Amino acid sequence: MGCGVTKSNQFNKHSRKAIRAAVLIQRWYRQYVARTEMRRRYTWHIFQSIEYSGEQAQIKLYNFLGYLMDNFTPSSNERNLISHIFRENEVCQDAEWERYFCYKNIEVPEIYSGPHLTFPLTVEQAVGLVEAFRNKKQLHSRYVLQLLLETWRQLRMLPNISRISTCQSKEITICGDLHGQLEDLLLIFYKNGMPSLEKPYVFNGDFVDRGKDSIEILIILFSFLLVYPSEVHLNRGNHEDHIVNLRYGFTKEVLTKYKMHGKRILKLLQKIFSWLPLATVIDQKVLVLHGGISDITDLSILARLDRHNYVSALRPPKKRHQSSAGASIDSDFDEDVLSTNKLLQRRISLTYPKPLGTRESFQNRSLQDFSNRIKGKAVDEIEIHKRKLAILNMGTNSSEGMTQSVSSESINSDNAKDEWKQILDLLWSDPMIQDGCTPNEVRGGGCYWGPDVTEDFLNRHNLQLIIRSHECKQDGYEFCHNRKVLTLFSASNYYDVGSNRGAYVKLGPDLVPYLVQYQASSMTRELTVKQSVGRTERSALKVLREQLFAHKSDLICAFKKFDSENTGLVSLNNWASAVESVMYLGVPWRMLRGQLVTSKSTDGMIDYLEWFNELAIKGPNTDHIDQSLLETLYRHRSTVETIFRIVDTDNSGFITIEDFRQTWKLLSVYLKMEITDEAISDLAVTIDSNQDGSIDIDEFMEAFRLTDKKSRLERGRSMFMGTVNDLTKLEGDPNI
Amino acid sequence: MMPLVHRLIFWETPVEIGTIIYSLGCFPTQADLHDFTAEVEEGHTGYIHLDKFLPVMTKVLLENKYPPIPEDLLLQAFEVLDKEKKGYLEPEDLTKYMTQEGDVFTQEEMDEMLTALVDHEKNLIYYKDLINLLTIDPDM
């Protein structure tokens, strides 16, 4: 008995010890998980902030260009450089367009090993295209153009809002952003099956940009649209927009893959994008659209507007009810009249702000940034415009005809503005947790809308659920607003390998969303949580360091404010405040300090000048270039590249030295900095090494280390570590 | 730390109070968390106001109320579970302890722990190395 008791005592003692040990381990482990979760969140936040501020920069740039158009005389060099992107040629007859895009005289060479298409397209051909792209083939430009023409014809027949139903127990599959990531589309088809009569699909926008296979995704989606026009539905996203494409990689992708006919393909796509439907309604209860809604979203307005007038959502619509309707909108005379009217409009909105004035005043604000700068130069132009305005006003008073056209123009302009806002909100808005509706100043377009707006909207339109995309989510999807809004994102590993899963949703007659998640690389599933967060975190920090370096001058100014005695040191708190005041990224700087500032600090103080030496990014042969110019170049590299691509009207990848100079004059106004002719010559010399008078845009960007080939945010995939595992294994499918 | 907490709750899905406290370098037990939550929660809404949270949290930090676990103590804890002193644990054993004893883990927590800690080739948990790897960052 004694032995038994002792044994059981020992056992109990061990048990108690074991329980205490278990508790300790549990506590320790939970702490580790929480820290990892925080790291994941701020890593996410870094990527997202930088992504959105890029979008904002794009919109600001676009507003600036619009302002130039309105305020420079037609003959000015700067305006000529960019005016072509504002031309829409919409008055041309469709027949003219068909001639322009004619594919018939494009020969397909014998050696071409890609797929051949015949029309009308069959399902075998559509499936064949998927296979061909899986095997890295490229579709010949003749077939691309032919396909796009057919697609255009099909899209023109569709209403703005597609209404579909889950009749006959069909489940509808809805996919979110794909962003040129072909592997994800292939994975969805693999898991879920390709579109068919029994398998309807809705693709919710953002098919292009960022990923490297945007054109292939479009080809696949358009093919299935042609084969199954009642079962495949496409919604327009904010990236189905040629202005956005200039910055985010699609334009470049097409021009690289289709050197001869890329320009035509892009032009045709411009029209096709504008003809994409805006939204889909399922069983009259579920609304599917790309961005979201605002407090003024009205489906009846959206249903009846002319969607193809909005070639780019970033652009206020051109007025179409000219009394001299015969003239092509291309002519300079018309553009003067239009721009005069725009100036008139803008002046009105400046003096009489509308109730929804916040977003409009935001746009005006960015324009006013430039007005001071250009004032001296533009005074003459404004005088000319004032005189024109006077004439217009006189016309209003004197003749009825004039009055009518002016007033109908102002009614039309009001309608047009309302319609434009409807589309902008639909394509660019994001949900927020708080009630209300505020301008989306982070992205620069659309709104943030709250749960009360959702509630009101659903009630008004008798709907029960909104499915939208537009935002990357770690799990591929996320519910909010009391599960009345579902965000769906289908591009996995979007920020970096392992950053997030993708998802699609299936909706049956019960309209209960059934979500399926996936991730395009099997390697990521085998990474431990720590490893996968670590990788993404490292790449986020790298991007962040680059951003910090690009703002060196402003940061030093900010630090000096805290360092009146010029010691070169600031406290951690002041360092964090200064950095946030310049960067506006809302990142937890104190938490990241250890990873951003590696030099040891003396008693908690940070040597900020030493810090910049750490961060420095050196380019080759750039010592003769002014440091601050280099920094500006680096900070605004996306903008610089975008402007170059705009100036490169024939999309050849080259611009002349003269245009290069003019571009810099433009940039110096936009960036509000003095760039001397000498500095511009230095830049030109560095890159035009063969002195032939033209500059290769890509070479320019690379020479100044302005494209980091590994930078995920700008284009394509990034750092793949060589591992034992096959990185692109796809659920055991050996063909990928 | 204030901008971090505020912005996370605004921009993204709400974050658990435990996550915040842990990530500030504290190591409360589940019982500690319950007590903390009771002190700051808004009725039974499940939400916590920043104004209530901050003073309580500040006090916790100043008092060092939930100090970190010293590495050697952690090592001892693992060694208690590793009865035969093999230098590693089998996943099944760790699972038994974590999901049945003390502040039990959910299945999800357990799965995640195994993914993070188990050496994939040998299917064992070499705890000595892990303690080094996963312990708190001294710079925080």
Side-chain angles (χ1 to χ4, degrees):
Chain A
M1 218 161 61
C3 279
V5 167
T6 312
K7 267 201 188 135
S8 108
N9 267 348
Q10 275 183 338
F11 178 74
N12 283 339
K13 199 171 168 199
H14 176 83
S15 268
R16 282 196 301 277
K17 268 180 108 175
I19 293 174
R20 281 204 303 275
V23 168
L24 205 68
I25 293 172
Q26 286 156 341
R27 224 165 88 206
W28 164 77
Y29 185 71
R30 283 187 167 119
Q31 201 271 356
Y32 163 72
V33 167
R35 261 193 309 130
T36 305
E37 168 67 12
M38 281 313 208
R39 281 164 67 207
R40 186 198 66 74
R41 280 181 182 244
Y42 68 63
T43 301
W44 194 263
H45 190 74
I46 292 172
F47 274 125
Q48 204 168 59
S49 297
I50 294 178
E51 174 182 352
Y52 293 170
S53 73
E55 287 182 342
Q56 189 194 91
Q58 178 69 350
I59 291 185
K60 278 196 179 146
L61 172 64
Y62 200 65
N63 285 340
F64 167 70
L65 296 176
Y67 177 80
L68 280 187
M69 289 297 295
D70 295 343
N71 292 288
F72 279 57
T73 55
S75 58
S76 86
N77 289 332
E78 289 86 346
R79 194 171 182 271
N80 281 339
L81 279 180
I82 55 167
S83 61
H84 69 97
I85 62 167
F86 291 90
R87 290 197 187 127
E88 286 173 351
N89 299 328
E90 280 159 17
V91 181
C92 288
Q93 295 302 319
D94 290 340
E96 280 182 50
W97 280 123
E98 305 231 354
R99 238 176 291 138
Y100 177 70
F101 294 125
C102 189
Y103 54 87
K104 292 192 179 124
N105 45 13
I106 302 179
E107 290 235 351
V108 180
E110 287 274 322
I111 52 163
Y112 170 70
S113 61
H116 296 265
L117 297 183
T118 58
F119 290 82
L121 220 53
T122 60
V123 61
E124 289 78 25
Q125 292 190 76
V127 172
L129 280 169
V130 176
E131 271 314 298
F133 293 148
R134 191 198 298 267
N135 293 319
K136 314 266 187 270
K137 300 269 188 237
Q138 186 173 308
L139 185 64
H140 195 274
S141 48
R142 180 201 170 95
Y143 300 128
V144 175
L145 284 168
Q146 212 173 346
L147 177 68
L148 293 181
L149 274 174
E150 291 299 316
T151 305
W152 182 36
R153 286 195 192 110
Q154 175 65 26
L155 288 175
R156 280 185 303 187
M157 300 193 292
L158 298 177
N160 295 347
I161 301 182
S162 309
R163 292 184 180 271
I164 63 181
S165 83
T166 57
C167 58
Q168 297 156 15
S169 322
K170 270 197 274 199
E171 268 185 326
I172 299 179
T173 307
I174 304 158
C175 298
D177 293 23
L178 287 167
H179 279 304
Q181 298 189 185
L182 184 62
E183 307 90 82
D184 286 302
L185 184 59
L186 295 177
L187 187 43
I188 294 172
F189 284 167
Y190 183 80
K191 286 173 86 78
N192 194 53
M194 298 207 210
S196 67
L197 292 173
E198 290 77 39
K199 198 150 284 191
Y201 269 84
V202 178
F203 292 94
N204 203 14
D206 278 11
F207 319 122
V208 303
D209 276 333
R210 296 206 175 94
K212 61 178 181 55
D213 296 312
S214 300
I215 189 70
E216 280 75 27
I217 289 194
L218 284 183
I219 292 170
I220 292 175
L221 295 183
F222 292 159
S223 304
F224 278 108
L225 174 72
L226 292 175
V227 175
Y228 295 116
S230 309
E231 282 74 31
V232 174
H233 306 273
L234 306 177
N235 290 338
R236 189 177 185 182
N238 62 309
H239 277 261
E240 275 69 57
D241 181 330
H242 70 289
I243 303 296
V244 178
N245 299 150
L246 278 168
R247 177 184 281 255
Y248 287 102
F250 180 51
T251 305
K252 193 170 173 181
E253 178 192 324
V254 172
L255 295 175
T256 307
K257 288 179 177 170
Y258 293 98
K259 291 194 166 34
M260 255 215 304
H261 301 286
K263 189 179 154 209
R264 268 199 273 175
I265 292 174
L266 286 171
K267 199 81 188 152
L268 187 42
L269 279 168
Q270 261 186 50
K271 304 184 73 56
I272 286 178
F273 286 164
S274 73
W275 275 106
L276 284 169
L278 297 173
T280 303
V281 176
I282 302 175
D283 286 353
Q284 299 173 50
K285 283 289 169 200
V286 177
L287 174 64
V288 187
L289 38 62
H290 177 74
I293 60 172
S294 70
D295 51 0
I296 55 111
T297 300
D298 186 336
L299 289 184
S300 51
I301 298 181
L302 283 165
R304 65 168 186 260
L305 52 78
D306 287 327
R307 68 182 189 271
H308 65 282
N309 282 347
Y310 302 89
V311 174
S312 165
L314 298 182
R315 227 193 121 193
K318 275 206 183 278
K319 276 194 277 294
R320 319 210 69 234
H321 311 275
Q322 297 293 335
S323 36
S324 50
S328 154
I329 290 183
D330 266 5
S331 78
D332 279 351
F333 167 77
D334 273 358
E335 282 196 294
D336 272 352
V337 172
L338 287 172
S339 55
T340 309
N341 285 332
K342 273 203 200 123
L343 198 63
L344 176 64
Q345 261 179 276
R346 199 167 285 116
R347 286 169 89 218
I348 287 176
S349 57
L350 278 172
T351 29
Y352 304 109
K354 294 190 179 148
L356 295 167
T358 3
R359 208 196 69 250
E360 269 133 32
S361 60
F362 163 73
Q363 287 175 318
N364 287 336
R365 222 191 300 139
S366 23
L367 297 173
Q368 278 169 325
D369 285 346
F370 312 118
S371 64
N372 293 331
R373 182 81 187 156
I374 323 182
K375 214 181 234 173
K377 210 174 185 178
V379 151
D380 295 323
E381 283 85 341
I382 291 185
E383 276 307 310
I384 297 173
H385 282 123
K386 277 191 187 155
R387 265 178 262 132
K388 284 187 183 150
L389 281 174
I391 295 171
L392 212 66
N393 285 333
M394 273 164 51
T396 314
N397 292 335
S398 59
S399 91
E400 212 184 44
M402 265 305 264
T403 313
Q404 206 160 28
S405 73
V406 167
S407 60
S408 71
E409 268 169 8
S410 48
I411 288 176
N412 287 330
S413 78
D414 274 346
N415 274 348
K417 271 191 130 177
D418 283 337
E419 289 180 355
W420 178 44
K421 186 179 194 308
Q422 294 279 335
I423 294 188
L424 205 54
D425 289 343
L426 185 150
L427 295 177
W428 284 82
S429 298
D430 290 315
M432 63 174 174
I433 294 180
Q434 301 159 325
D435 279 347
C437 191
T438 57
N440 191 330
E441 303 211 351
V442 174
R443 297 222 200 221
C447 294
Y448 285 119
W449 88 92
D452 56 334
V453 177
T454 296
E455 191 65 35
D456 185 53
F457 177 83
L458 293 176
N459 286 335
R460 248 187 301 129
H461 291 92
N462 210 4
L463 297 164
Q464 70 191 43
L465 174 65
I466 297 174
I467 298 181
R468 44 90 63 174
S469 303
H470 197 41
E471 283 181 294
C472 183
K473 295 292 175 191
Q474 201 205 7
D475 291 321
Y477 74 94
E478 191 173 271
F479 281 99
C480 66
H481 294 188
N482 228 344
R483 290 186 80 89
K484 303 238 171 94
V485 174
L486 169 62
T487 300
L488 190 62
F489 198 82
S490 300
S492 65
N493 304 326
Y494 182 62
Y495 289 130
D496 196 2
V497 175
S499 67
N500 65 288
R501 292 195 271 187
Y504 57 88
V505 68
K506 298 182 75 85
L507 225 51
D510 59 359
L511 296 182
V512 173
Y514 173 70
L515 285 138
V516 180
Q517 296 164 298
Y518 54 84
Q519 199 153 17
S521 165
S522 68
M523 175 192 148
T524 58
R525 255 178 277 123
E526 284 163 30
L527 285 177
T528 62
V529 171
K530 175 188 165 67
Q531 284 176 316
S532 126
V533 169
R535 290 198 67 239
T536 315
E537 189 185 7
R538 275 195 295 279
S539 99
L541 288 170
K542 178 164 179 286
V543 168
L544 200 53
R545 277 187 215 104
E546 287 169 5
Q547 288 287 310
L548 288 165
F549 178 70
H551 288 80
K552 177 174 167 184
S553 316
D554 287 349
L555 283 168
I556 292 187
C557 267
F559 290 142
K560 287 207 149 75
K561 288 194 192 129
F562 289 106
D563 180 23
S564 46
E565 287 163 41
N566 243 337
T567 60
L569 301 172
V570 285
S571 69
L572 174 57
N573 270 350
N574 289 339
W575 175 84
S577 305
V579 172
E580 178 61 18
S581 73
V582 169
M583 305 299 291
Y584 278 115
L585 287 174
V587 158
W589 299 107
R590 281 179 208 82
M591 243 175 118
L592 297 174
R593 199 254 334 148
Q595 315 210 49
L596 294 173
V597 186
T598 50
S599 52
K600 285 300 172 204
S601 52
T602 41
D603 54 295
M605 302 293 276
I606 295 175
D607 182 339
Y608 53 88
L609 293 171
E610 179 55 37
W611 183 43
F612 284 110
N613 286 338
E614 265 178 55
L615 291 176
I617 296 166
K618 290 235 177 298
N621 298 326
T622 53
D623 293 333
H624 61 294
I625 307 289
D626 179 59
Q627 276 306 303
S628 67
L629 177 59
L630 205 59
E631 187 187 313
T632 303
L633 258 184
Y634 198 79
R635 185 192 317 194
H636 296 281
R637 58 202 201 268
S638 281
T639 300
V640 170
E641 182 170 358
T642 306
I643 290 189
F644 279 156
R645 295 207 182 277
I646 292 176
V647 169
D648 175 21
T649 48
D650 61 359
N651 292 323
S652 61
F654 287 86
I655 58 174
T656 65
I657 295 263
E658 199 34 53
D659 281 348
F660 181 78
R661 275 189 211 289
Q662 293 298 336
T663 307
W664 279 106
K665 296 246 171 71
L666 236 171
L667 277 167
S668 69
V669 173
Y670 179 64
L671 302 174
K672 288 191 267 192
M673 65 176 282
E674 283 298 320
I675 302 181
T676 61
D677 281 340
E678 209 187 304
I680 296 176
S681 296
D682 286 341
L683 286 175
V685 150
T686 305
I687 198 54
D688 180 23
S689 43
N690 63 355
Q691 304 274 316
D692 68 347
S694 71
I695 291 179
D696 181 326
I697 299 175
D698 283 326
E699 258 185 53
F700 180 85
M701 300 302 290
E702 277 163 28
F704 292 99
R705 293 280 184 93
L706 298 178
T707 53
D708 174 4
K709 289 201 163 105
K710 294 187 196 142
S711 161
R712 167 102 185 113
L713 287 177
E714 301 302 331
R715 51 174 262 276
R717 297 227 149 229
S718 73
M719 19 213 306
F720 273 98
M721 300 193 301
T723 66
V724 176
N725 299 314
D726 180 3
L727 295 173
T728 53
K729 229 189 316 181
L730 210 63
E731 302 258 31
D733 182 343
N735 287 326
I736 306 290
Chain B
M1 297 315 284
M2 286 182 268
L4 163 66
V5 168
H6 191 232
R7 198 172 269 270
L8 283 175
I9 291 174
F10 179 76
W11 288 119
E12 303 187 37
T13 50
V15 79
E16 299 242 345
I17 196 74
T19 306
I20 299 185
I21 300 177
Y22 281 127
S23 67
L24 289 171
C26 304
F27 287 75
T29 63
Q30 297 297 80
D32 293 330
L33 282 179
H34 279 132
D35 293 341
F36 187 100
T37 309
E39 210 180 321
V40 298
E41 192 179 7
E42 286 292 306
H44 293 287
T45 57
Y47 281 92
I48 296 173
H49 245 295
L50 199 57
D51 316 330
K52 258 188 164 176
F53 172 78
L54 286 175
V56 182
M57 191 66 223
T58 310
K59 195 151 168 282
V60 160
L61 289 171
L62 290 173
E63 290 173 5
N64 199 15
K65 204 166 169 194
Y66 313 125
I69 302 168
E71 269 187 46
D72 49 353
L73 203 59
L74 196 55
L75 186 58
Q76 279 180 41
F78 274 106
E79 283 171 348
V80 165
L81 301 185
D82 179 15
K83 281 183 275 197
E84 290 151 45
K85 306 287 173 276
K86 296 184 294 235
Y88 56 80
L89 287 175
E90 311 255 352
E92 303 80 51
D93 291 336
L94 185 61
T95 303
K96 203 171 51 145
Y97 282 115
M98 297 290 101
T99 58
Q100 291 172 17
E101 309 282 8
D103 290 331
V104 295
F105 273 7
T106 63
Q107 187 56 44
E108 209 183 313
E109 279 179 298
M110 195 62 233
D111 289 341
E112 208 183 72
M113 187 187 211
L114 290 176
T115 312
L117 300 189
V118 172
D119 176 320
H120 291 298
E121 281 170 43
K122 310 254 177 66
N123 202 32
L124 296 169
I125 299 160
Y126 291 94
Y127 49 84
K128 282 207 191 88
D129 304 324
L130 290 170
I131 291 171
N132 277 332
L133 222 49
L134 305 186
T135 297
I136 192 169
D137 183 346
D139 275 342
M140 276 192 64

